[in-house]
Amino acid sequence: MLSQVMQEAINEQINNELFASYSYLSMSAWCEHQQFTGCALWMRMQSDEERDHALRLHDFLLARNARVVMKPIAQPTVDFESVASVFEMALAQEQEVTAQIDKLYELAFKEKAFAALVELEWFITEQVEEEKTAREIVHKFKLVKDDPASLLDLDRELGERKSDEGDA
Ligand code: FEO
C-alpha cells in the first residue's frame, strides 16, 4: 500500500503532466495560428504524449488501490515571441519536469515505495530523451535564425514527426 504522502505526490505529478499536455496544446495552437503547421503538429503530438504520461501514473495509482484526485490545471502561456521561443519554452518545461520526477523518485526512495521506484525509472529515462530532443530542436532554430526558407524547411521537418517518437 502506498503511503499517503506518496499518493499525494503522485497525484501532484499527474497534475504536472496534464499541465505539460495543456501547455503543449497551447503552443500547438499558437504555431498553427502563425501558419507553422509542422511545428503545430509536433507540439500536438507532444501534448498527447504528456497525457499518456499522466495516464501511466493514473493507472499506477489505481493498480496500487490508491485514489486518483484530479486538481485544477493552471493556465499555460498563450502568447509567444517567435516559433523559436516556443521550443525554448518546451525545453525549459522539460527541464522542470525532470526536476519534478527526480524529486518524486527521491521521495519514493525515502518512503521505501519500491513499486513506485520501478515505475518512476521509466520516467527518468523518458526525461533524458525528451530533454535531448527539445535541446536539439532549439539548437536548429538558433542555426536557422530568421531565414524564411530555412524556417520553412525546419517546419516541414518537424511536421514529419511519427507518432511512436518519444516512446510514450
Ligand atoms: Fe511528461 Fe515531457 O514530460
Side-chain angles (χ1 to χ4, degrees):
M1 183 70 186
L2 280 169
S3 68
Q4 194 58 33
V5 65
M6 228 21 245
Q7 290 189 35
E8 281 169 19
I10 294 174
N11 269 299
E12 187 68 36
Q13 192 57 30
I14 290 175
N15 188 266
N16 290 336
E17 301 287 348
L18 288 174
F19 172 77
S21 174
Y22 205 30
S23 176
Y24 277 123
L25 194 58
S26 179
M27 292 176 191
S28 175
W30 188 89
C31 290
E32 179 103 25
H33 192 246
Q34 301 292 320
Q35 317 301 328
F36 284 105
T37 53
C39 295
L41 180 97
W42 193 97
M43 288 292 170
R44 193 165 170 139
M45 289 176 89
Q46 192 61 31
S47 173
D48 288 347
E49 274 203 10
E50 298 302 347
R51 184 173 180 277
D52 287 344
H53 295 173
L55 287 176
R56 263 182 181 258
L57 294 172
H58 165 282
D59 292 349
F60 175 74
L61 278 183
L62 292 173
R64 301 300 294 158
N65 200 28
R67 280 209 63 200
V68 170
V69 182
M70 296 303 181
K71 296 193 179 128
I73 303 170
Q75 186 184 19
T77 303
V78 294
D79 282 314
F80 302 88
E81 273 178 27
S82 62
V83 74
S85 75
V86 174
F87 281 89
E88 277 164 24
M89 179 169 281
L91 174 58
Q93 183 167 286
E94 288 308 331
Q95 288 164 338
E96 200 178 324
V97 172
T98 299
Q100 291 162 353
I101 296 290
D102 285 355
K103 218 168 128 206
L104 192 53
Y105 191 86
E106 190 182 358
L107 181 70
F109 194 79
K110 279 191 197 140
E111 293 282 312
K112 297 187 169 60
F114 300 116
L117 283 172
V118 173
E119 180 66 25
L120 289 170
E121 265 166 28
W122 182 89
F123 282 85
I124 289 175
T125 308
E126 176 71 5
Q127 281 313 118
V128 171
E129 195 52 43
E130 298 228 335
E131 276 194 41
K132 177 177 179 281
T133 305
R135 197 180 311 112
E136 284 169 0
I137 299 172
V138 165
H139 180 68
K140 284 181 185 174
F141 273 104
K142 283 204 172 113
L143 291 176
V144 159
K145 294 203 177 77
D146 294 327
D147 178 55
S150 305
L151 269 175
L152 283 177
D153 277 347
L154 186 48
D155 185 57
R156 196 173 303 116
E157 181 190 321
L158 291 168
E160 284 165 4
R161 178 177 177 168
K162 305 282 184 298
S163 60
D164 57 351
E165 258 176 56
D167 183 40

